[in-house]
Amino acid sequence: MTTSKLDSSSEVIGAPPLDASQFHHTPFFCEENVYLLCKQLCTSGVADAEGSDLFVVFISNDKKQVPLWHQKASQRADGVILWDYHVICIQIKKEGDSSPLVWDLDSSLSFPSPLASYVSETIRPSFQLFSDFQRFFRVVHAPIFLHSFASDRRHMKDSIGNWTAKPPAYEAIVAEDGTVHNLNEYIEISTADGTISIGLDSINSVYSQKLGVLVSESQLEEFFSLLS
């Protein structure tokens, strides 16, 4: 995960925010941070032991330019930054009528944040953007992701093999089938591949497909309301 230069132009009710420092975080390795976050949420009892209530969400587009607000890495007052891609976790609480929760270790918002608040403050769908900056969301069920994801971190090296950002100290993540790198499959997001309609087929796909389903920013909240 890297940034580009951008031209200048709520709390969860009833629960205090958790401290993001309790979770492992390596700057610019958001996919690995979310992988470890999902595992920790499962083992700590915050999520289902198998992660059935968790979804990993990759945010990107054709141009690899996605503006997000309230990001800690930003140097602007409004917290906006231009990522090539970003990864978050969304949790659906099975009990009660609680809103889906967004776990974003790079966000300055409450941790976790209600999905509606996160969309309003971080995605800002009401903010008029050029088409090159439209955000698309690859939603992957966490149990599938934890079994299938792999990264040897090659995307964080330059043309002569030097690191562009300091890598995590732990070993690279290898998929259960032995695959050593497939991050590119998750972050290759084409507008043409977006989900045309939200319905039973897309819900079935997110629970069965390795790469989940692709939804637009206008479909994200609707999609998770159907999963709830």
Side-chain angles (χ1 to χ4, degrees):
M1 180 174 75
T2 57
T3 63
S4 301
K5 289 185 178 179
L6 194 66
D7 291 336
S8 295
S9 354
S10 87
E11 302 292 330
V12 180
I13 297 174
L18 296 177
D19 187 350
S21 66
Q22 299 171 14
F23 296 85
H24 187 94
H25 180 266
T26 303
F28 305 109
F29 288 84
C30 58
E31 62 284 346
E32 296 193 34
N33 295 334
V34 168
Y35 178 95
L36 295 177
L37 179 142
C38 287
K39 283 184 168 289
Q40 188 169 338
L41 292 177
C42 293
T43 57
S44 66
V46 175
D48 176 77
E50 301 299 321
S52 63
D53 55 344
L54 301 177
F55 297 84
V56 175
V57 181
F58 287 79
I59 310 170
S60 194
N61 58 27
D62 297 277
K63 301 292 186 180
K64 296 292 184 291
Q65 297 184 110
V66 287
L68 298 176
W69 279 258
H70 294 285
Q71 295 290 289
K72 295 175 184 176
S74 174
Q75 297 181 359
R76 291 172 45 131
D78 56 6
V80 71
I81 200 166
L82 200 62
W83 293 120
D84 52 349
Y85 68 93
H86 189 47
V87 189
I88 60 176
C89 172
I90 299 182
Q91 182 179 22
I92 294 178
K93 289 290 192 179
K94 300 298 184 184
E95 67 280 353
D97 297 321
S98 58
S99 167
L101 300 176
V102 176
W103 301 83
D104 182 357
L105 288 163
D106 292 289
S107 174
S108 59
L109 298 177
S110 60
F111 183 79
S113 289
L115 177 58
S117 298
Y118 187 87
V119 169
S120 174
E121 297 294 327
T122 299
I123 308 302
R124 297 197 179 186
S126 61
F127 195 90
Q128 296 299 310
L129 295 171
F130 291 112
S131 58
D132 284 353
F133 299 120
Q134 295 299 314
R135 283 71 49 100
F136 290 86
F137 303 78
R138 183 180 300 285
V139 183
V140 185
H141 198 207
I144 299 175
F145 178 75
L146 293 175
H147 290 310
S148 305
F149 175 73
S151 175
D152 61 9
R153 303 166 182 162
R154 68 183 68 176
H155 65 297
M156 295 302 291
K157 291 184 177 181
D158 62 21
S159 59
I160 59 174
N162 295 320
W163 291 107
T164 58
K166 185 178 179 180
Y170 56 84
E171 292 294 320
I173 297 169
V174 178
E176 288 191 356
D177 65 1
T179 299
V180 297
H181 189 80
N182 56 22
L183 171 62
N184 56 302
E185 297 178 29
Y186 293 92
I187 63 177
E188 284 303 319
I189 292 178
S190 171
T191 305
D193 296 331
T195 299
I196 296 175
S197 62
I198 299 297
L200 185 59
D201 287 346
S202 58
I203 292 173
N204 289 337
S205 293
V206 79
Y207 286 115
S208 61
Q209 299 300 312
K210 170 187 164 184
L211 298 178
V213 299
L214 198 61
V215 300
S216 68
E217 59 188 67
S218 65
Q219 296 172 314
L220 184 66
E221 288 185 87
E222 178 189 0
F223 183 68
F224 274 94
S225 71
L226 295 177
L227 292 177
S228 301

